[in-house]
Amino acid sequence: MGHLDHAAYGWLTPALSYVMASIGAALGLRCTVRALDATTGSSRRNWLLTAASAIGTGIWTMHFVAMLGFHVTGTEIHYNVPLTILSLLVAMVVVGAGVFVVGYGKDRGRALVLGGLTTGIGVASMHYLGMAALRLHGTVSYAPLTVGLSVAIAVVAATAALWAALNIKSPMAVAVASLVMGAAVSSMHYTGMLAVAVNVVPSDEALPGATAMQFIFPLAVGLGSYLFITSAFVALSPTADERTASAAASADRRLGEQGAPASVL
């Protein structure tokens, strides 16, 4: 059995992965809140799409940033590129399905349960599909009970996040909820990693796929930049209440101008 190191760079990768998960959760929650406040169908759809991409991207980036610190004694680790990209698409699509269930569900209780289950399974699917992309000299096995626990954590975390989107409106409360969600997603990841065992088979053959620094690191940096840019866009975009207040102020100003007496020359 190969010795597994889940934090080869110390606290750097766990801390950075937690930050990415929290940013993705915060952005996704804010976009979901905006979607629920939207007055038009297209606006709601666009906000929900942004929420799905943010949550999916944040979770994927969290996973693979954490994986930068994953080392196995006695073998290098490479990644199958198509499977890794597929894991990102799965995260976005399945998380998107859960977000849309909540965004368009009439019965909020039922929508929350179904959306949380769908999103949680999407998170777990992304994790284990990403693990299936590992290429190393040996075989990877999993402890079934720990795998089941990681999936349960993913479902609970996703349900809690969607509940927050439905019930929490203030930016400060959303920020706190996103920190909790980031911790839950990180816990799911490292619980899943505790289920992993690797039987190393020494070999001089070159491993297929790309190393983490060749592929994972540049992609994670790109997706992280997307999250930061999108966060800035959402922060600068006015909320429904702000737009209503602005429209009311403009109407009052126009009425004041119309009712003002003409100036005497």
Side-chain angles (χ1 to χ4, degrees):
M1 301 293 286
H3 172 71
L4 308 185
D5 189 346
H6 297 288
Y9 302 107
W11 283 100
L12 177 62
T13 49
L16 186 57
S17 63
Y18 170 69
V19 169
M20 299 311 299
S22 297
I23 291 174
L27 183 55
L29 290 178
R30 288 304 297 162
C31 290
T32 305
V33 169
R34 298 288 186 90
L36 295 174
D37 289 340
T39 56
T40 64
S42 61
S43 179
R44 173 169 291 196
R45 181 199 63 219
N46 292 339
W47 279 118
L48 289 174
L49 287 173
T50 306
S53 67
I55 296 174
T57 298
I59 292 170
W60 187 96
T61 305
M62 175 271 146
H63 171 82
F64 281 101
V65 167
M67 290 302 291
L68 291 174
F70 178 66
H71 287 191
V72 180
T73 303
T75 179
E76 292 182 343
I77 297 176
H78 286 198
Y79 293 86
N80 178 283
V81 174
L83 268 181
T84 303
I85 294 176
L86 179 61
S87 69
L88 172 61
L89 297 178
V90 166
M92 290 185 177
V93 171
V94 182
V95 169
V99 169
F100 269 78
V101 166
V102 169
Y104 286 100
K106 301 300 182 183
D107 183 340
R108 288 205 165 183
R110 182 179 179 182
L112 179 61
V113 172
L114 183 57
L117 181 63
T118 303
T119 304
I121 291 175
V123 172
S125 299
M126 181 283 304
H127 174 88
Y128 288 104
L129 189 57
M131 292 300 294
L134 287 179
R135 297 294 179 264
L136 46 75
H137 293 303
T139 57
V140 178
S141 59
Y142 297 89
L145 289 179
T146 311
V147 169
L149 178 60
S150 70
V151 175
I153 292 173
V155 171
V156 171
T159 304
L162 293 175
W163 177 89
L166 288 172
N167 295 280
I168 295 176
K169 302 300 181 182
S170 73
M172 183 58 68
V174 169
V176 173
S178 67
L179 294 176
V180 175
M181 177 63 177
V185 171
S186 297
S187 297
M188 178 269 159
H189 171 83
Y190 285 105
T191 300
M193 294 308 294
L194 288 177
V196 175
V198 177
N199 182 27
V200 175
V201 179
S203 175
D204 294 329
E205 292 185 8
L207 288 169
T211 66
M213 289 301 175
Q214 288 174 337
F215 173 60
I216 300 299
F217 181 72
L219 188 55
V221 169
L223 292 175
S225 300
Y226 162 76
L227 286 177
F228 280 107
I229 293 171
T230 308
S231 296
F233 166 76
V234 173
L236 295 173
S237 177
T239 63
D241 290 341
E242 290 170 344
R243 287 194 299 271
T244 300
S246 177
S250 297
D252 290 342
R253 187 168 55 252
R254 286 195 300 270
L255 287 174
E257 291 172 351
Q258 291 171 359
S263 61
V264 178
L265 296 177

